[in-house]
Amino acid sequence: MTTIGILGAGRVGRNLAQKLAMSGHHVVLGRRSTRDETTPPVGGVGPRVSSADQRTTARTADLVINATPGDSALERLTDLRAELAGKVLIDVSNATRDTGDGLPGDLCYPGSSLAEQLQSALPDTRVVKTLNTMLYVVMTAPETLTTPPTAYVSGDDERAKKTVTGLLGDLGWQPAWIEDLGDITTARATEAMVLVVPHILRRRGFQPFAVSLAR
């Protein structure tokens, strides 16, 4: 059984935690502090989902998922360099500056990506980018969309990407829906896809969707 640490206990983190627990993993939700009780831990489905501060979560997990806000993730995770050393870090966040209505407007790292910045700041960690091109509910229920969605994968380490692909399977992703784009620099393409999202949301509301590859 793999212990998966999820940094971020918001909607994305809790959604991933519940599905991963149902798949047989032990999950630790990493909160900003032990006093952060704004959301309760997920429990009652499969192995228990516990919570801890983010440093403890990063140190004790076998694999870590970054589900923190992308505009502040680089500083937060760089501070966890020692705890994340030697581990696979799955980055599902988008680093954007929001517009007045709270939706993404501009990228924080034009010409680069959050994933690339994380890999540069964490040289002893194997960063893999995925699941950042969809509404969070699709991450754990891809089969609910009318058209099969795409989960793009970017990363320098092939073994790490294989591990992540296996985890995507636990989340319900079929192999045909997973697209390995190549090394970590390809994450700048998928992170830029987020700029289409606010236009979709303003027109259609928060309905489940994914920016996918049609064949």
Side-chain angles (χ1 to χ4, degrees), residues 37-62:
E37 297 297 335
T38 56
T39 54
V42 179
V45 183
R48 181 171 179 168
V49 178
S50 59
S51 64
D53 65 89
Q54 293 186 355
R55 191 172 301 278
T56 300
T57 299
R59 183 178 66 251
T60 58
D62 301 313

Side-chain angles (χ1 to χ4, degrees), residues 36-105:
D36 180 9
E37 297 297 335
T38 56
T39 54
V42 179
V45 183
R48 181 171 179 168
V49 178
S50 59
S51 64
D53 65 89
Q54 293 186 355
R55 191 172 301 278
T56 300
T57 299
R59 183 178 66 251
T60 58
D62 301 313
L63 180 150
V64 179
I65 298 174
N66 172 41
T68 65
D71 59 346
S72 57
L74 181 59
E75 180 179 2
R76 182 181 294 107
L77 270 65
T78 298
D79 188 50
L80 301 176
R81 183 185 291 110
E83 289 79 6
L84 292 169
K87 298 182 180 180
V88 175
L89 174 66
I90 303 175
D91 177 31
V92 303
S93 296
N94 286 304
T96 59
R97 296 183 179 89
D98 291 344
T99 58
D101 59 5
L103 295 176

Side-chain angles (χ1 to χ4, degrees), residues 122-163:
L122 305 169
D124 297 323
T125 302
R126 294 169 290 165
V127 178
V128 178
K129 188 81 178 189
T130 192
L131 294 179
N132 63 305
T133 55
M134 61 200 70
L135 199 62
Y136 73 96
V137 293
V138 179
M139 295 178 177
T140 58
E143 73 283 355
T144 59
L145 295 187
T146 303
T147 303
T150 305
Y152 304 99
V153 177
S154 301
D156 291 337
D157 189 284
E158 294 300 324
R159 290 181 63 186
K161 288 194 289 185
K162 185 176 180 180
T163 297

Side-chain angles (χ1 to χ4, degrees), residues 5-20 27-30 39 42 49 65-68 92 136 139-140:
I6 301 178
L7 304 180
R11 292 181 300 179
V12 175
R14 297 197 319 271
N15 183 53
L16 289 168
Q18 184 174 10
K19 185 62 175 283
L20 289 169
V27 182
V28 181
L29 274 174
T39 54
V42 179
V49 178
I65 298 174
N66 172 41
T68 65
V92 303
Y136 73 96
M139 295 178 177
T140 58

